[in-house]
Amino acid sequence: MIDEGKPIFLQIAEQIENDIIAGSIAEESQVPSTNEFAAFYRINPATAGKGVNRLVDDGILYKKRGIGMFVAEGARARLVDARRTRFRDEFIRPLIAEAAKLGIDPDQLTEMISTEGVSA
Amino acid sequence: MTSSSPSSTASSAVVSVHGLTKRFGKVTAVDNASFEIQPNTITGLLGRNGAGKTTIMQVLTGQDFATSGDVRVFGEHPTENARVLSRISFIKESQRYPDDFQPKHVFQSAPWFFENWDADFAAQLVEEFRLPVNRRIKKLSRGQLSAVGVIVGLASRAPLTFFDEPYLGLDAVARQLFYDRLLADFAEHPRTVVLSTHLIDEVSQLLEHVLVIDQGTLIIDEPAETLRGSATTVVGTRTAVDAFVAGRDVLHRDGIGGLASVTVGRLDADERREAAQAGLELSPVSLQQLIVRKTNLTEKEFETQS
């Protein structure tokens, strides 16, 4: 589950983001505690805390003193926005590079994408 | 994204070592090592067998004298210092017990040495590790003997706990149990833990800080998160790989036919894109591989230069 090479705290933050985007953690609902994340992913609690704090800094999560950590209102929309900006770098560019390597021209690529869109 | 390890001050460190050297006759076991261990962290003390890990822990726990250098634990010299030693739990592979002792005697006497001893937690661990507490220690298997040490180390909740290769003979299930209980109990009762092991991949996610010692010399002293991704293996055709790694520090080089696989340092996003465009494959290097590379470095340098 944890991927080598990428900082673990970023992966924890991304995992929580994914759960918010997918709707499996609703806005204004409580997320697990740092220690629960640490136990679940079998990582150092300080690392889990760093991942959670990153989301607090980004305004995705907020703390209720003495109770725990909650998903902020509007968090999902903001995460989706941010992910869309990264979509080009992370998916489109590698896709085009690989297509070029295989001799797939842009028209063919567009067609493949629309065919996939129909069947998916 | 800032790497937020606060600059350490000598006063806050639990362990602070300056210029530690330990010689046994002509052998230099530890050579001019300086490092600090911050409170409430899990630090990995890693390295090959005979690298000097146990010697360092023996000096830190007052069981051996430094030849030279300054060693402070909780701000004081550890040697014959009851104030310091009462706050330390040192679990070592070669722990000896009185001949007719049974595990239950060890656990009964533990509260005399450890003021935070939690007998309920110890009882829970005895059950989970399925340790026969009424059998003479001499008759225990190697794994059961290791379980005695692991239980003492966890249930003592000492402010500073050293685990020196604590799990010889423990099977994978029992090791996972140890990691899980260590993490959970550390989260609930924060304390300073030093874990020395050669099973690096198993523990790499537990560690917050990593010290690597090789032939008595400290070669890595870094936060674990900094080490992750600090090396990348680049794979592709020899010409493409050579062009990409030109001018970089090469940690390791492998090849077969026209293919090359070269391990270099950290690559940023632009460099990764550049590599992808050159048709190169990038793969991360685990902490264990990184340490293998670094502790082999001198030999490898000779090989590639010849």
Side-chain angles (χ1 to χ4, degrees):
Chain A
M1 182 146 27
I2 298 282
D3 162 27
E4 291 292 340
K6 201 169 176 186
I8 300 177
F9 77 94
L10 279 183
Q11 298 184 51
I12 297 301
E14 275 176 14
Q15 187 59 50
I16 301 171
E17 286 178 4
N18 286 341
D19 288 344
I20 296 172
I21 290 173
S24 49
I25 311 178
E27 291 180 3
E28 295 298 339
S29 71
Q30 189 170 4
V31 298
S33 72
T34 298
N35 287 348
E36 286 168 334
F37 277 122
F40 183 75
Y41 290 107
R42 298 193 156 126
I43 56 172
N44 191 293
T47 312
K50 212 171 153 192
V52 169
N53 282 335
R54 183 187 164 83
L55 295 178
V56 173
D57 291 344
D58 291 349
I60 300 300
L61 301 181
Y62 67 95
K63 284 179 191 170
K64 278 191 194 170
R65 193 180 289 269
I67 304 176
M69 212 68 82
F70 290 77
V71 180
E73 204 187 319
R76 185 174 180 279
R78 273 190 290 133
L79 287 174
V80 169
D81 262 4
R83 287 284 176 96
R84 282 189 178 167
T85 350
R86 276 162 47 193
F87 187 72
R88 178 191 296 264
D89 271 356
E90 288 179 8
F91 295 93
I92 302 298
R93 288 201 174 127
L95 178 78
I96 292 171
E98 180 72 11
K101 196 156 83 184
L102 301 178
I104 301 171
D105 70 31
D107 285 342
Q108 288 171 306
L109 184 59
T110 316
E111 198 195 316
M112 286 167 92
I113 291 172
S114 24
T115 327
E116 272 304 306
V118 171
S119 59
Chain B
M1 191 185 88
T2 53
S3 68
S4 66
S5 98
S7 63
S8 50
T9 54
S11 57
S12 73
V14 169
V15 171
S16 138
V17 172
H18 293 283
L20 169 65
T21 294
K22 174 68 188 175
R23 289 196 193 90
F24 296 102
K26 283 183 181 166
V27 179
T28 304
V30 181
D31 188 7
N32 195 22
S34 299
F35 61 90
E36 288 187 340
I37 294 174
Q38 300 305 321
N40 301 336
T41 58
I42 303 178
T43 295
L45 180 57
L46 311 175
R48 303 178 58 176
N49 291 335
K53 305 180 301 255
T54 300
T55 305
I56 287 181
M57 286 186 278
Q58 276 172 335
V59 172
L60 292 180
T61 55
Q63 305 197 348
D64 212 334
F65 298 97
T67 306
S68 62
D70 187 45
V71 171
R72 304 279 172 140
V73 180
F74 297 111
E76 301 184 41
H77 293 293
T79 314
E80 292 182 7
N81 184 334
R83 265 193 315 279
V84 170
L85 299 181
S86 67
R87 297 159 79 185
I88 294 178
S89 180
F90 182 18
I91 303 307
K92 49 189 172 179
E93 188 191 321
S94 57
Q95 182 66 51
R96 301 243 172 264
Y97 300 95
D99 262 358
D100 51 353
F101 251 41
Q102 299 165 8
K104 69 174 178 201
H105 299 128
V106 176
F107 302 137
Q108 280 161 2
S109 57
W112 305 339
F113 304 101
F114 305 112
E115 59 177 38
N116 299 336
W117 178 259
D118 185 332
D120 292 340
F121 186 32
Q124 175 203 327
L125 292 167
V126 162
E127 197 144 305
E128 289 179 321
F129 280 103
R130 300 181 183 169
L131 180 69
V133 288
N134 296 322
R135 193 175 297 171
R136 285 173 65 180
I137 284 185
K138 280 204 298 197
K139 305 270 179 193
L140 294 182
S141 72
R142 184 59 247 195
Q144 289 168 332
L145 187 59
S146 291
V148 174
V150 161
I151 293 169
V152 170
L154 289 172
S156 60
R157 292 212 179 110
L160 176 56
T161 306
F162 292 91
F163 288 104
D164 184 10
E165 300 283 1
Y167 32 45
L168 206 64
L170 284 187
D171 60 29
V173 176
R175 293 201 301 274
Q176 191 61 64
L177 183 62
F178 167 60
Y179 304 139
D180 287 353
R181 294 301 170 267
L182 171 65
L183 268 186
D185 202 62
F186 169 80
E188 269 183 58
H189 305 274
R191 52 199 194 261
T192 307
V193 176
V194 177
L195 185 55
S196 167
T197 177
H198 58 268
L199 299 175
I200 299 169
D201 275 343
E202 282 193 7
V203 302
S204 65
Q205 295 181 17
L206 311 187
L207 306 176
E208 189 171 344
H209 198 89
V210 174
L211 298 169
V212 179
I213 185 160
D214 188 40
Q215 297 179 337
T217 305
L218 192 67
I219 58 166
I220 295 177
D221 177 1
E222 299 255 20
E225 286 283 351
T226 309
L227 285 174
R228 291 180 76 79
S230 68
T232 309
T233 298
V234 182
V235 183
T237 60
R238 189 174 294 274
T239 33
V241 171
D242 282 347
F244 184 78
V245 303
R248 295 179 192 276
D249 275 345
V250 170
L251 281 175
H252 182 75
R253 180 183 285 274
D254 241 335
I256 175 167
L259 280 180
S261 161
V262 174
T263 303
V264 293
R266 182 184 301 280
L267 300 177
D268 64 24
D270 285 344
E271 292 170 315
R272 292 182 165 270
R273 204 168 299 136
E274 188 192 318
Q277 278 162 2
L280 299 172
E281 302 238 345
L282 300 177
S283 60
V285 175
S286 73
L287 183 60
Q288 176 154 318
Q289 288 172 312
L290 179 68
I291 290 170
V292 168
R293 299 295 184 237
K294 295 231 170 179
T295 51
N296 277 335
L297 197 55
T298 41
E299 294 159 34
K300 289 290 171 196
E301 274 172 348
F302 280 118
E303 283 172 28
T304 48
Q305 276 167 8
S306 60

